[in-house]
Amino acid sequence: MGKLLHRLKRDHRTLLLQACGWVHCALLGAILLTGIVELLTPLGIHSLSPDSVFLRGLLLVIPAALSYYAAERIRRLWLYLPASLGIAAISWLLLGNPGGTVLAAALCLFRMMSRMVAKEEEAPVVSAFDAPHYAGLLLFGVTFLISAAGGFPVLQRSSVIAAVFYLLLCFLYSGIQRVDGYLTLNREMANLPGRRIERAAGSAVVLAVVLAAALLLPAAFGTQGDFRIDLSGKRVAVSDTLPEPQETDPGITTEGLEELRDAMYGGPAPVMPPWVNYLLTAIASVCILAAVVYAVYAISRHFRSSFRDNHDVVQHLGSDFSEDSPFEKRGRKRSRLFDRSPGALIRRCYRKRVLRGSKEPPKQWQSPAELEAAAGLENAQLHSLYEKARYSAEPCTGEDVRLMREAAKKA
């Protein structure tokens, strides 16, 4: 017991990040099951309440945690398969519907595939099921639009509440991950006040999440699910929206009612042409499709951070390790587009000359001398002016810009 408490005290940040991943799976699974149940409710296939399905769907956090530890602890495939069946059965008992079993089985399947790719001695592969991502909010946006177009109040209310909780979860995960990454990177630093940094930064993250929850959760729980989107394209007359009179005066004719309505509204009520409704629907459909495609691309791109290929460890290093041109946009290394200072003008002029003479894109590791040799430039003045603009602490002047332009014409 003492060993377990010591591990919890030491690895509490890691456990918190893992728990965020499990809650992430539970929120996504709950909203999917709620949408399926409310779509099938008019057909009379089942008698489940969408509200109860959403609340019980949050219990998917338990199968998500069990599948994670099963993939991490169980080293034999013939033992992992019965464990997966047990997790799927537990999911059915917790969620009360076969959809929970399908989701739990999918979790176990993807974790098994990750284990088959990685060797047993490697750490578990971090996948899209282990960490929340802001792209996951697109799912809640799609379910909200479906509920608004189909008239599903429970799904609409659940999607809003789940989206707010998912956004708060992303805030918490990204904040704790930054704190953990900083402390892990600098753990060998002498006299590092790790506990103080952890308390201060962790408290700031929690405070930010609490403030965001105080602002967003009341509005989310106050949602009634009555927002509707009419995709039928039917025209609605103004007279249909007017209340029916309790008693009709025989002296008032239909023409008189129309004149009274025109006087009230300042003329005939404008009616939106059908093609405008079709155009807006097409634009919304294209935007939703593009968002879904981007979300699938982002999730598939970061689905696995590393794997083994013929005993070689392949890792996704990101854009910081690219060997692209040194003239690519890299913050402080490249001058800004609207920077008209002498140093920026010199560097921009030098860049044009090098790119014009190079047959291949310059590499990040090449020095100015190597760039000039590859581009066929032999001009000492051009070289010295660029080095002054790029590396020297002494600022460039307008005279340097004039000399650079003259040297560029000669090169």
Side-chain angles (χ1 to χ4, degrees), residues 65 130 205 279 388 392:
D130 297 322
V205 172
L279 178 61
K388 179 181 179 181
S392 177

Side-chain angles (χ1 to χ4, degrees), residues 97-350:
N97 61 80
T101 305
V102 175
L103 293 178
L107 279 174
C108 295
L109 175 62
F110 280 108
R111 295 195 191 280
M112 182 182 67
M113 293 173 59
S114 300
R115 282 289 307 278
M116 292 176 65
V117 173
K119 297 298 182 180
E120 292 186 358
E121 65 272 13
E122 296 292 332
V125 178
V126 178
S127 66
F129 298 101
D130 297 322
H133 195 277
Y134 289 103
L137 294 171
L138 295 175
L139 175 64
F140 302 104
V142 172
T143 54
F144 180 84
L145 293 177
I146 293 175
S147 64
F152 304 122
V154 178
L155 178 60
Q156 185 174 139
R157 186 169 61 252
S158 302
S159 63
V160 173
I161 295 174
V164 172
F165 275 108
Y166 194 86
L167 180 63
L168 297 175
L169 186 68
C170 291
F171 288 161
L172 179 63
Y173 182 85
S174 59
I176 298 299
Q177 189 181 39
R178 287 178 179 273
V179 175
D180 183 72
Y182 177 81
L183 294 176
T184 303
L185 181 64
N186 299 280
R187 62 178 178 272
E188 302 297 335
M189 183 183 299
N191 300 324
L192 177 69
R195 188 176 299 274
R196 189 185 309 169
I197 294 174
E198 181 181 5
R199 289 178 179 177
S203 301
V205 172
V206 173
L207 180 60
V209 173
V210 170
L211 291 177
L215 293 174
L216 298 177
L217 287 179
F221 282 104
T223 304
Q224 301 298 325
D226 53 357
F227 181 78
R228 295 290 180 267
I229 298 177
D230 185 14
L231 301 179
S232 61
K234 296 181 179 179
R235 295 186 179 183
V236 180
V238 177
S239 58
D240 296 338
T241 62
L242 293 176
E244 293 292 336
Q246 298 295 330
E247 297 181 359
T248 305
D249 189 352
I252 301 178
T253 61
T254 304
E255 291 78 4
L257 288 175
E258 292 181 354
E259 293 177 358
L260 178 61
R261 182 193 61 190
D262 294 343
M264 291 175 59
Y265 290 95
V271 179
M272 181 181 293
W275 65 269
V276 176
N277 195 5
Y278 297 148
L279 178 61
L280 294 177
T281 304
I283 294 175
S285 303
V286 171
C287 293
I288 294 173
L289 180 61
V292 171
V293 171
Y294 174 76
V296 172
Y297 168 75
I299 293 175
S300 62
R301 184 184 179 196
H302 300 285
F303 185 78
R304 190 161 51 243
S305 60
S306 65
F307 61 93
R308 292 183 64 90
D309 184 15
N310 295 329
H311 304 284
D312 295 329
V313 178
V314 181
Q315 293 182 340
H316 175 71
L317 301 178
S319 59
D320 294 339
F321 296 88
S322 174
E323 293 187 355
D324 295 337
S325 167
F327 304 120
E328 295 295 330
K329 186 176 181 180
R330 292 180 179 274
R332 59 181 179 84
K333 292 186 177 180
R334 179 180 174 181
S335 59
R336 296 180 179 178
L337 179 62
F338 299 103
D339 188 0
R340 307 300 297 177
S341 62
L345 293 175
I346 291 175
R347 292 176 60 180
R348 196 173 292 117
C349 182
Y350 179 85

Side-chain angles (χ1 to χ4, degrees), residues 325-328 330 332-335 342-355 362-373 377 379-397 399-405 407-408:
S325 167
F327 304 120
E328 295 295 330
R330 292 180 179 274
R332 59 181 179 84
K333 292 186 177 180
R334 179 180 174 181
S335 59
L345 293 175
I346 291 175
R347 292 176 60 180
R348 196 173 292 117
C349 182
Y350 179 85
R351 172 178 177 270
K352 292 180 180 179
R353 296 300 305 173
V354 169
L355 293 179
K363 302 298 186 296
Q364 177 67 23
W365 46 265
Q366 287 181 310
S367 64
E370 293 173 333
L371 292 173
E372 294 166 13
L377 296 177
N379 194 312
Q381 188 177 17
L382 192 73
H383 178 84
S384 61
L385 288 172
Y386 174 73
E387 286 192 338
K388 179 181 179 181
R390 178 69 186 276
Y391 305 108
S392 177
E394 181 182 356
C396 297
T397 62
E399 181 65 19
D400 294 330
V401 176
R402 187 184 64 81
L403 294 176
M404 169 59 99
R405 290 173 177 172

